[in-house]
Amino acid sequence: MATITSPGIGSGLDVRNLVNSLVASEGRPASNRLDRQETKLQATLSALGSVKSSLSSFQSAMAGLTNLSTFQKRTASSSHTDLFTSSVVGKPVAGRYEVEVKQLATAHKLASEGFEQVNSVIGTGQLTFQFGDPTKPAQTITIDEQNNTLEGIRDAVNAAEIGVRASIVNGDDGYQLVFSATHSGQDNSLRITVADDDGDNTDTNGLSRFAYDPGAGVSNMTETAEAKNAIIMVDGIQVTRATNTITDAIEGVTLNLRKAEEGTKATLTLGLDKSSGAAAIEAFVTAYNAMVSNLNQLTAYDAETRQAGVLTGDATVRGIMSQLRSVLGDSVSGLDGMLRSLADVGITTERDGTLLLNRATLSEAMDKDFDGIGRLFAASGVASHANVNYLGAGKETLAGSYDVNITQLASRGLYQDATSAVSSLVVDGSNNTFRIRVDGVTSGTINLTEKTYASGDELAAELQSRINGDSTLRGAGASVVVSYDSVNNNFIFTSERYGSESSVEITEVAANGADIGLTANGAASVAGVDVEGTIGG
């Protein structure tokens, strides 16, 4: 038989609610204790988040101080911006310079004869562009049945991106093809030689209508703009450059020439830019004080109310403050100058741990040792030998002294045949071709311009231009410097690469190549070597 029971039926008492109340009463102290612990932990967590935020803001303010360039900025201004403007790119010496712009640089331009149509068929062969600077590589464009019109030649030259821009102008004499050097100056003047498939490379038929080599008596194109260098006077000293943007006349200053006006002199004023460094230091002090004020509030104890801050006595916060005070109070080692501590630039510590910046002291320190301000805050280095140059330091770089001992400098591979001498400066069909291997890369067949050269230096320039213009070598990044040794009457071919992979070897020459000093003598090659030594042992 089943039994049904119900507490309180016999007595009339609400036993269920009475039991629930007794249980709740017993658990309330534990619940309250857990609630208080939760509240405290949440407050602690929030306080630690505030500490982290303060440290992050301070770290961001420090970022500007750790960059040495922040404290090395200069200003440059021109009294006559119609003639030139200026900008600072380094650390120029403060002062004033008198500048006169006598001539602007211009780019070379050549125009062809007029043609009836832009699709007029010209001829086939090869156009080779060379420049006023003989060390610039020769650039060869092949013209075939696919691009042998005025438009086709224009597009082929532009697509090659060789330092020459081609355009077509519809003038009174018809459609004219114009070649313009993409860079100004005499070093970028144009010389055009032609290998014309009609067999005549200098006449006014076929592709040779674009030949332009005044030195060889060939001027089938008309010069419409002369290649000129910029000429300026700086404090009475003439400065000639190929471009109107001059970066090396005054160290650390770029001059942008805008107009030539001979006889008019303008003033360039160079000064120290104190504002950048001062702003970074002020931001550092402000961020540090905000952080300290926040940490002081979180760790304070109010004796009157007997209330402690959320992080009072917290070991982590105490450790952070202790380390910061230690760093800020220390002097920077390794600085021989007068600025070695924050106090030297006007930063002192107040009673509450915040920093006070004396701007007058900071300004005075900048006047006395402008670059020294940067060395106080940012990583810097000084080499004891003029042949070693300090460039910069990374985040993991440790302060200290490092002995640098170079036992072997890197060298470049070269080729010079001591057994061969130049007996002729005439280049013709019997000696105008050769092949060369540079840094392990073998060129295609190299063709020299056939003519009588005025000197060994001129022929050396032609050799260098043609070698560096070879598509195989250029594609591999291999190049050479060719010089004429007047004492031994031969040529020196030097790789532009350093190290043990640097080498030069002439592998093939035309039948009479020895006449102009070209030989394939493997024993004449000297390989480059790698740098060797130790740094810090």
Side-chain angles (χ1 to χ4, degrees), residues 148-488:
N148 64 343
T149 63
L150 215 58
E151 287 181 319
I153 295 171
R154 176 199 63 190
D155 295 343
V157 170
N158 289 336
E161 298 182 348
I162 59 174
V164 180
R165 183 179 62 253
S167 59
I168 297 174
V169 177
N170 184 10
D172 293 344
D173 295 330
Y175 292 94
Q176 293 176 265
L177 183 62
V178 178
F179 293 130
S180 305
T182 55
H183 300 289
S184 59
Q186 293 176 355
D187 281 350
N188 296 295
S189 61
L190 301 176
R191 178 161 65 94
I192 307 171
T193 54
V194 178
D196 200 332
D197 286 347
D198 67 8
D200 192 329
N201 299 330
T202 59
D203 66 359
T204 55
N205 296 313
L207 200 62
S208 56
R209 280 178 282 192
F210 301 119
Y212 183 84
D213 187 359
V218 181
S219 297
N220 293 345
M221 298 190 77
T222 302
E223 182 181 69
T224 59
E226 183 184 353
K228 292 182 180 180
N229 290 331
I231 302 175
I232 65 173
M233 303 293 291
V234 179
D235 285 346
I237 300 172
Q238 180 167 306
V239 177
T240 304
R241 296 292 184 271
T243 173
N244 292 318
T245 300
I246 300 178
T247 61
D248 57 354
I250 302 171
E251 185 178 4
V253 178
T254 294
L255 300 177
N256 299 295
L257 309 185
R258 303 182 66 180
K259 184 176 73 171
E261 196 170 289
E262 192 165 0
T264 300
K265 298 175 181 179
T267 301
L268 170 68
T269 303
L270 304 178
L272 303 177
D273 182 4
K274 299 179 182 179
S275 60
S276 177
I281 291 175
E282 289 185 2
F284 157 73
V285 171
T286 300
Y288 181 84
N289 288 345
M291 178 189 65
V292 169
S293 297
N294 186 36
L295 295 184
N296 285 344
Q297 182 179 359
L298 294 173
T299 59
Y301 176 78
D302 191 331
E304 293 183 4
T305 62
R306 296 185 179 182
Q307 292 291 322
V310 178
L311 297 178
T312 299
D314 186 274
T316 300
V317 177
R318 286 203 311 270
I320 290 173
M321 293 306 299
S322 176
Q323 290 182 54
L324 285 172
R325 292 190 187 102
S326 175
V327 170
L328 296 181
D330 284 346
S331 295
V332 179
S333 61
L335 296 182
D336 296 329
M338 57 181 293
L339 304 179
R340 300 186 59 191
S341 68
L342 293 183
D344 291 334
V345 295
I347 301 176
T348 54
T349 304
E350 298 286 88
R351 284 179 173 272
D352 61 356
T354 58
L355 299 178
L356 177 65
L357 174 61
N358 187 318
R359 290 173 176 78
T361 303
L362 174 60
S363 179
E364 183 180 352
M366 286 186 168
D367 289 337
K368 291 182 178 179
D369 189 3
F370 184 72
D371 291 330
I373 301 288
R375 291 192 293 269
L376 179 62
F377 290 99
S380 63
V382 178
S384 61
H385 197 288
N387 287 345
V388 178
N389 199 19
Y390 169 82
L391 296 179
K395 292 181 178 180
E396 304 300 323
T397 305
L398 298 178
S401 297
Y402 299 85
D403 290 331
V404 179
N405 182 30
I406 305 301
T407 57
Q408 175 178 280
L409 290 175
S411 67
R412 298 184 291 178
L414 61 84
Y415 179 95
Q416 181 178 19
D417 189 355
T419 65
S420 176
V422 177
S423 61
S424 172
L425 293 175
V426 177
V427 175
D428 55 28
S430 69
N431 59 12
N432 67 329
T433 62
F434 66 99
R435 300 182 75 186
I436 189 170
R437 183 179 296 118
V438 182
D439 303 337
V441 179
T442 302
S443 71
T445 299
I446 295 173
N447 292 272
L448 300 175
T449 301
E450 296 182 24
K451 70 175 191 178
T452 300
Y453 289 83
S455 65
D457 289 331
E458 184 184 3
L459 181 52
E462 170 72 3
L463 287 164
Q464 178 172 320
S465 176
R466 292 292 182 167
I467 292 170
N468 292 341
D470 178 78
S471 59
T472 302
L473 295 178
R474 192 168 65 246
S479 59
V480 299
V481 173
V482 182
S483 59
Y484 172 66
D485 183 347
S486 59
V487 175
N488 295 300

